[in-house]
Amino acid sequence: LCVRMASGPVQLLEREHRLGRTMALGEAGLSVLLVFVTALMFYRLLSAEKRTARELQELWSRVSHELKTPITGLKALLQTLQGQELSREELQPLVGMALKEVERQERLAEHLLVGQRLSGEFHRLAMKDLRLVPFVEDYFSARNLQIDLDKVSVHITAAPDTRVRADPNAVRVILDNLVDNSVKYCEGDLRLEVTLDEESKEEMLRLCLSDNGPGFKPDEAEAIFDAYRRLEDELPSHKHGTGMGLHISRKLAEDMGGKLEASSQGPNLGSTFTLFLAKTGG
């Protein structure tokens, strides 16, 4: 006897077989893709963790050096004062040196505190209407600046009563960082030029600080604001710092509704940092 199956059930079985095989291949491909994505994410997580650990190690190394240097200087000065009887004329320059070392350590502590607060969830600035022109004039006429005021030229074209919405302490921290950056890296006779004028198109007040320091490559203008970044190839190897100053300054400027930009024509051609703050009608 010859048994002949109908074509309908055979085609149905073949279709179910092909569907099952397709689903199995799809599931296998999806599993391989998931394993690959998981491995990639795990690799990136490990790389980020290693980079963070390396940056923190470098930061603490810099902080340790920055803390040790003024302490060593103060210790030497105190030992000198302890071992000798000095006249007032001999004592004055030593006291001045000690004050400079204390101010240096105070700025470092302030940078660390500001950086910690900026990374916190509840960071708040004390915003107010600030007359920036007299503020800048008072800042650069202060006696505690570690620069010769004869080397600073200030050009102001903005109206004295022009106000900006800003936190005075944040503006001072930004100026401290920018001035300290110029003083630290200028090898020769430092010249600072400060310009304060109005950007009528954007209703911004613009504060420019230019120096004759080492400068940087034009394409590094954004990279210098990265945390812990010091442009090691461009800057003198014996200069130290936490690498946080410019990063903190830009974050403060942005939190005040402004911005901080940098520009340079190239190495050894100086640099310019420009702080923009929004004007107010008050």
Side-chain angles (χ1 to χ4, degrees):
L1 297 174
C2 180
V3 179
R4 187 175 183 179
M5 293 186 63
S7 59
V10 174
Q11 292 176 353
L12 180 61
L13 290 174
E14 290 179 347
R15 187 163 54 251
E16 290 178 352
H17 175 70
R18 287 196 299 269
L19 181 60
R21 185 173 59 182
T22 302
M23 290 179 63
L25 290 175
E27 291 175 355
L30 181 60
S31 300
V32 171
L33 180 61
L34 288 175
V35 170
F36 175 77
V37 171
T38 302
L40 180 62
M41 293 178 64
F42 187 66
Y43 171 77
R44 294 184 64 180
L45 179 63
L46 286 178
S47 299
E49 187 176 347
K50 288 181 180 179
R51 183 172 63 253
T52 301
R54 184 171 62 252
E55 289 175 347
L56 285 175
Q57 183 179 9
E58 185 178 358
L59 171 64
W60 285 117
S61 176
R62 293 175 181 174
V63 170
S64 299
H65 182 275
E66 291 290 300
L67 287 172
K68 181 179 179 181
T69 301
I71 290 174
T72 302
L74 287 172
K75 181 179 179 181
L77 288 170
L78 291 174
Q79 288 174 340
T80 301
L81 296 175
Q82 185 182 42
Q84 302 180 25
E85 290 189 5
L86 302 175
S87 65
R88 186 175 181 83
E89 291 74 18
E90 295 173 322
L91 192 61
Q92 280 298 111
L94 294 178
V95 172
M97 293 171 60
L99 286 174
K100 286 185 178 180
E101 295 299 328
V102 171
E103 289 170 3
R104 176 180 175 182
Q105 199 162 20
E106 183 181 21
R107 284 199 307 274
L108 173 62
E110 187 172 26
H111 287 177
L112 293 175
L113 288 173
V114 171
Q116 190 275 333
R117 288 199 297 266
L118 287 175
S119 62
E121 183 179 354
F122 302 105
H123 169 66
R124 294 290 185 273
L125 293 176
M127 302 292 287
K128 61 175 65 176
D129 285 354
L130 175 66
R131 295 174 63 218
L132 192 60
V133 172
F135 182 90
V136 170
E137 290 176 335
D138 291 342
Y139 177 87
F140 283 100
S141 63
R143 295 179 180 271
N144 62 349
L145 283 176
Q146 295 188 19
I147 54 176
D148 185 354
L149 293 180
D150 293 334
K151 298 179 179 180
V152 180
S153 59
V154 180
H155 306 284
I156 296 178
T157 60
D161 59 346
T162 304
R163 297 175 182 268
V164 295
R165 190 71 178 167
D167 180 338
N169 186 59
V171 175
R172 182 181 58 80
V173 170
I174 293 173
L175 290 175
D176 281 344
N177 284 328
L178 297 183
V179 171
D180 182 65
N181 192 69
S182 297
V183 172
K184 185 185 301 181
Y185 295 120
C186 185
E187 293 289 318
D189 185 22
L190 171 66
R191 302 297 302 181
L192 282 177
E193 183 173 342
V194 182
T195 305
L196 186 58
D197 57 16
E198 298 183 49
E199 280 281 301
S200 58
K201 184 179 297 186
E202 299 183 19
E203 290 298 317
M204 305 286 280
L205 204 63
R206 180 176 61 184
L207 174 63
C208 297
L209 191 147
S210 302
D211 61 41
N212 59 336
F216 50 85
K217 296 177 182 178
D219 58 0
E220 296 276 11
E222 287 299 314
I224 64 174
F225 291 104
D226 293 342
Y228 318 113
R229 183 67 180 264
R230 293 180 62 249
L231 301 183
E232 301 290 351
D233 295 337
E234 306 298 333
L235 300 178
S237 59
H238 63 280
K239 299 296 184 180
H240 295 273
T242 62
M244 295 173 58
L246 293 179
H247 175 74
I248 290 173
S249 297
R250 169 168 274 190
K251 185 67 169 61
L252 287 173
E254 292 174 347
D255 287 350
M256 290 188 291
K259 55 185 178 180
L260 180 62
E261 299 176 348
S263 62
S264 176
Q265 297 299 316
N268 303 316
L269 296 177
S271 57
T272 298
F273 290 88
T274 306
L275 172 64
F276 296 89
L277 293 173
K279 293 188 293 184
T280 63

